[in-house]
């Protein structure tokens, strides 16, 4: 087993570099994840490595993010330090992305999502297009009929469709739109492609109002990495809206 210290942000007040629930894992030789960098993280690393060589199992400490720490955020962060096996680290991914397509843009999207707190299901019928290794949060599915995987996705998943075939894109989009529990559906392509898809869906009696196409938070260039960054930013913006909406509902009930 690989033992280390899990550093968890349990509470924030005011401005802070990371949100509650952010975590990192520290061993004598490795660091995975981040709680925001800067002197806060440096101080947390020092405490974690002190705990590694002591009998202390858990500690909690509040940090004021002011001049004494060399940071000007102005808020405060409470960190919990727990000695644990890395495999036992807690916490669930914040969202689930279903990505159809392992072409140039698909690879860039998967690379970015592999480093975010999410679960990724990555689907393509071509086994030779996937990289040799993927991140731990990524499940690769080689499926001759990719559209079938729509039915296996969990509720509130976010879908990105960017396969090698427009016909396959349309089949997947149509199947996703038949579900009523979809958080986001994005289709790669131009305004012309989007218009044609909406016309074909309308002819089949399918409401395409939930389809987002072209994808991307900003009008980026056409380089695969630029498109991927813009698309993932759009997913994150969507999730931020969901979190804010949930928080407002909670305040209303209170």
């Amino acid at each position: 087993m690989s033992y280390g210290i899990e550093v968890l942000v349990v509470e924030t007040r005011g401005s802070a570099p990371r949100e509650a629930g952010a975590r990192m894992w520290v061993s004598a030789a490795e660091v995975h994840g981040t709680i925001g960098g800067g002197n806060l993280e440096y101080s947390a690393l020092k405490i974690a490595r002190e705990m590694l060589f002591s009998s202390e199992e858990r500690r909690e400490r509040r940090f004021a993010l002011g001049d004494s720490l060399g940071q000007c955020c102005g808020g405060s962060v409470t960190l919990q330090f727990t000695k644990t096996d890395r495999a036992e680290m807690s916490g669930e991914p914040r969202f689930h992305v279903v990505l159809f397509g392992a072409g140039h843009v698909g690879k860039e999207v998967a690379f970015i999502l592999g480093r975010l707190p999410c679960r990724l299901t990555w689907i393509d019928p071509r086994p030779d297009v996937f990289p040799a290794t993927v991140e731990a949060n990524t499940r690769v599915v080689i499926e001759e009929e990719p559209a079938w995987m729509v039915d296996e996705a969990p509720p509130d998943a976010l879908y990105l469709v960017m396969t090698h075939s427009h016909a396959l894109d349309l089949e997947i989009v149509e199947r996703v739109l038949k579900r009523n529990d979809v958080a986001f559906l994005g289709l790669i392509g131009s305004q012309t492609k989007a218009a044609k898809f909406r016309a074909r869906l309308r002819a089949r009696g399918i409401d395409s109002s939930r389809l987002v196409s072209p994808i991307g938070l900003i009008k980026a260039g056409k380089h695969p990495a630029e498109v991927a960054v813009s698309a993932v930013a759009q997913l994150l913006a969507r999730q931020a809206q969901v979190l804010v909406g949930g928080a407002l509902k909670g305040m209303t009930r209170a």
Side-chain angles (χ1 to χ4, degrees):
M1 291 186 178
S2 181
Y3 283 97
I5 304 297
E6 180 188 44
V7 184
L8 172 67
V9 179
V10 294
E11 183 184 46
T12 65
R13 293 186 179 183
S15 180
R18 290 295 307 274
E19 71 286 355
R23 67 193 68 227
M24 68 178 180
W25 184 85
V26 183
S27 72
E30 297 179 288
V31 177
H32 296 273
T34 179
I35 56 166
N39 281 339
L40 171 66
E41 187 158 296
Y42 176 80
S43 299
L45 287 170
K46 184 178 179 181
I47 292 171
R49 288 193 164 129
E50 287 174 355
M51 288 179 62
L52 281 172
F53 302 101
S54 73
S55 60
E56 189 175 5
E57 295 290 327
R58 178 169 294 191
R59 183 190 301 189
E60 191 168 294
R61 179 173 167 182
R62 178 178 171 273
F63 294 83
L65 303 176
D67 293 340
S68 62
L69 198 63
Q71 296 196 215
C72 57
C73 297
S76 67
V77 174
T78 301
L79 300 180
Q80 183 181 89
F81 301 80
T82 307
K83 190 172 288 185
T84 182
D85 175 28
R86 186 182 175 198
E88 296 173 353
M89 282 183 66
S90 59
E92 284 296 315
R94 293 205 299 265
F95 56 98
H96 191 141
V97 179
V98 184
L99 171 61
F100 290 91
H104 295 304
V105 178
K107 285 185 176 69
E108 296 289 350
V109 169
F111 175 75
I112 299 170
L113 291 174
R115 305 174 69 181
L116 293 175
C118 70
R119 181 175 291 115
L120 172 62
T121 300
W122 192 11
I123 306 156
D124 198 289
R126 304 164 296 170
D128 57 324
V129 296
F130 290 102
T133 60
V134 296
E135 297 296 333
N137 70 339
T138 303
R139 174 194 175 204
V140 167
V141 178
I142 302 167
E143 172 57 62
E144 292 184 2
E145 299 290 343
W148 292 353
M149 294 302 299
V150 172
D151 300 337
E152 294 192 16
D156 300 318
L158 298 95
Y159 298 79
L160 286 176
V161 182
M162 48 184 67
T163 78
H164 60 290
S165 163
H166 284 201
L168 180 55
D169 283 351
L170 181 60
E171 182 183 1
I172 294 167
V173 165
E174 180 176 349
R175 203 169 187 115
V176 174
L177 288 173
K178 289 179 179 177
R179 294 188 58 154
N180 59 10
D181 57 357
V182 174
F184 179 89
L185 170 59
L187 169 69
I188 197 170
S190 64
Q191 292 282 3
T192 300
K193 177 182 176 181
K196 287 182 178 179
F197 270 49
R198 290 190 173 96
R200 290 170 183 172
L201 290 164
R202 186 167 55 249
R204 299 177 187 183
I206 298 172
D207 178 12
S208 64
S209 60
R210 291 180 293 158
L211 175 63
V212 177
S213 185
I215 55 172
L217 190 63
I218 59 174
K219 187 176 180 181
K222 294 185 179 181
H223 188 284
E226 290 179 305
V227 178
V229 168
S230 184
V232 173
Q234 192 170 36
L235 297 185
L236 295 176
R238 165 63 183 168
Q239 285 306 106
Q241 290 175 351
V242 171
L243 291 173
V244 170
L248 290 175
K249 285 183 180 178
M251 291 172 63
T252 302
R253 289 171 187 159

